[in-house]
Amino acid sequence: MGHLSNRHIIIGVSGGIAAYKAAELVRLLRREGAEIRVVMSRGARAFITPLSMQALSGNPVHTELLDEDAEMGMGHIELARWADLVVLAPATADIIARLAQGRADDLLTTVVLATPAPLIVAPAMNQHMWLNPATLANIDTLKARGIQIVGPDAGEQACGDTGPGRLLEPADILSAVHQCLPTSILSGRRVVITAGPTREAIDPVRYLSNHSSGKMGFALARAAAEAGAETILITGPADIDTPERVTRIDVESAQEMLETAIQEVSSGADLFIAAAAVADYRPVEMASTKLKKTGAELSLQLVQNPDIVQTVATASYRPTLVIGFAAETDNVAAYANEKLTNKNLDAIVANDVSRQDIGFNSDYNAISLWSRSGCEMTVEGTKLSIAVSLVQRFSDMLSGVANQTKGQLGD
Ligand code: C5P
């Protein structure tokens, strides 16, 4: 069952170059089981065809307000009542202005005006249009009415400008949908996640560490919390905001991360996800004062750190599911499978860190999930969309385990 099974979502598309991203949003929402109806403005149809949106949504696309055939099928009021949520993506400056005025002169504005469902608006326009006081005042009006505005992002624009006005990535709009329509596939579950790098002190001012940003672990924490889990995020130094409803515990060294993980997991957890890039070695001892240059060679003696995920996976308090990560530069599948067995994991998320476009500091990633029965899935996209897919799969695995146990008990 998907996060959004049986949820009715209207995707309203208005006329902007970012209209093509609405197609990806529809795909992501349907993958989670949502039922989608697409309403397109006249302008939207200049950028993307209703036929594409029909194929992706699996339903006829709605375009006209005063169309007899359409009204006999699902008319505008019925459509407005049907929706659990309306998402306007992209929302142009014009439709934002018309919503602020409460106009109802085409199907899209009429549905928005007639629906009792919550509304998410994802603006996309040229940066000057976005920064125009008229648009900003309209946005304030919509916010004051309880409409949720997501984005826009800043960056390079289709018109060549650089600034605020880009449509938020579909995965981030998806995340706003999750917050609006909370799902519960992990409710009642306790999830502990490690994230980020560790720092191994050499002296009071220096340390050994690595390039991990923590983004994947934070994305998993966000997806788990949005799926209803009590989520504990044990993180090494990472400059990322804590996702909502996530309990964050900051640590520095591998030793500290291990102690915190044991404490959190032994007090009860269903799922442990080891996304941290734990330093394999630490200095045998930390110098109590800053080391000085002497002109001579300096040798650091290192000792191997304990393996956190292996410790958790072989302990008496082992959670039902223990998931590891394998960042490799070559032979990704082979090394991942070796770790799966050696560390006593239920599954391992493998990624190829030799690729320049994805991995450590990027917002994007490409992963494959391996269990004892082989490759479970491969996903490429933003770290958040990958996290959402993984969390869904982990939830299925947890339910599978629960069903197996039931079966064994003869239920
Ligand atoms: O052995 P390697 O470091 O490649 O394994 C990676 C996996 O093991 C990741 O899930 C990482 O979080 C976990 N790990 C750990 N403690 C260590 C080293 C790795 O939990 N000391």
Side-chain angles (χ1 to χ4, degrees):
M1 215 171 76
H3 271 53
L4 298 168
S5 286
N6 305 321
R7 296 301 202 141
H8 293 173
I9 302 177
I10 290 181
I11 301 296
V13 189
S14 63
I17 186 74
Y20 73 95
K21 286 192 185 172
E24 171 65 2
L25 178 62
V26 168
R27 202 183 63 77
L28 292 177
L29 291 167
R30 281 204 73 197
R31 204 174 66 187
E32 294 198 13
E35 221 190 297
I36 307 292
R37 295 260 168 188
V38 177
V39 178
M40 297 177 79
S41 73
R42 185 196 301 261
R45 283 172 273 153
F47 290 95
I48 182 165
T49 66
L51 197 59
S52 308
M53 296 308 266
Q54 178 177 317
L56 284 165
S57 67
N59 277 315
V61 169
H62 306 263
T63 54
E64 302 298 336
L65 179 57
L66 303 172
D67 174 336
E68 268 178 40
D69 289 344
E71 288 295 308
M72 277 170 56
M74 195 184 239
H76 63 279
I77 295 298
E78 219 177 319
L79 204 51
R81 277 201 201 113
W82 172 87
D84 294 319
L85 174 71
V86 178
V87 182
L88 254 178
T92 58
D94 178 63
I95 194 143
I96 287 168
R98 291 195 293 130
L99 294 185
Q101 286 177 0
R103 305 271 300 252
D105 48 7
D106 67 2
L107 182 62
L108 191 47
T109 47
T110 306
V111 167
V112 169
L113 207 59
T115 189
L119 175 63
I120 294 176
V121 170
M125 65 198 75
N126 165 273
Q127 59 156 332
H128 297 294
M129 293 172 83
W130 170 252
L131 293 171
N132 190 298
T135 304
L136 294 178
N138 288 333
I139 288 288
D140 283 344
T141 305
L142 298 190
K143 279 186 183 162
R145 286 185 201 142
I147 293 170
Q148 198 189 335
I149 311 293
V150 294
D153 250 349
E156 205 176 306
Q157 302 202 292
C159 51
D161 278 11
T162 302
R166 282 163 56 102
L167 183 69
L168 213 58
E169 286 302 321
D172 291 310
I173 301 175
L174 178 68
S175 172
V177 170
H178 287 154
Q179 278 169 24
C180 235
L181 298 174
T183 56
S184 53
I185 54 170
L186 284 182
S187 81
R189 305 284 194 187
R190 191 159 182 273
V191 177
V192 179
I193 300 172
T194 65
T198 63
R199 281 183 185 170
E200 311 301 327
I202 297 171
D203 68 16
V205 293
R206 302 184 181 93
Y207 54 80
L208 296 174
S209 191
N210 58 61
H211 288 299
S212 167
S213 62
K215 283 178 182 169
M216 194 64 227
F218 275 67
L220 280 161
R222 178 168 165 180
E226 282 171 8
E230 180 191 346
T231 308
I232 318 293
L233 177 64
I234 305 170
T235 180
D239 189 16
I240 310 180
D241 290 339
T242 312
E244 275 182 42
R245 298 193 300 275
V246 169
T247 305
R248 172 179 181 159
I249 306 176
D250 286 292
V251 296
E252 291 252 336
S253 65
Q255 197 62 40
E256 260 185 275
M257 189 175 269
L258 174 72
E259 283 157 21
T260 314
I262 292 175
Q263 199 175 334
E264 289 302 322
V265 178
S266 62
S267 60
D270 301 284
L271 169 60
F272 180 71
I273 309 175
V278 185
D280 287 329
Y281 288 89
R282 66 174 186 275
V284 170
E285 59 185 39
M286 175 186 147
S288 57
T289 53
K290 188 179 166 193
L291 294 176
K292 296 288 178 207
K293 291 192 281 282
T294 61
E297 272 185 9
L298 174 71
S299 299
L300 266 183
Q301 207 185 345
L302 302 178
V303 60
Q304 197 172 320
N305 270 325
D307 195 300
I308 301 169
V309 73
Q310 191 171 22
T311 306
V312 167
T314 51
S316 56
Y317 50 80
R318 186 191 200 278
T320 314
L321 267 191
V322 179
I323 312 289
F325 271 71
E328 305 291 346
T329 51
D330 57 318
N331 286 331
V332 178
Y335 285 131
N337 274 298
E338 204 177 291
K339 280 175 198 170
L340 178 71
T341 315
N342 293 346
K343 298 190 188 220
N344 196 31
L345 309 176
D346 296 289
I348 191 155
V349 182
N351 62 341
D352 180 349
V353 285
S354 67
R355 277 179 62 172
Q356 294 296 313
D357 53 330
I358 54 174
F360 268 150
N361 245 312
S362 165
D363 287 327
Y364 292 85
N365 209 349
I367 60 100
S368 49
L369 179 71
W370 295 81
S371 72
R372 306 274 167 141
S373 25
C375 183
E376 297 272 338
M377 64 175 185
T378 56
V379 205
E380 184 160 351
T382 63
K383 287 184 174 170
L384 189 58
S385 66
I386 291 174
V388 168
S389 302
L390 285 173
V391 160
Q392 195 165 334
R393 182 54 67 106
F394 299 155
S395 148
D396 291 345
M397 290 167 87
L398 279 170
S399 325
V401 173
N403 289 340
Q404 261 175 28
T405 318
K406 259 193 189 172
Q408 281 160 10
L409 293 174
D411 271 340

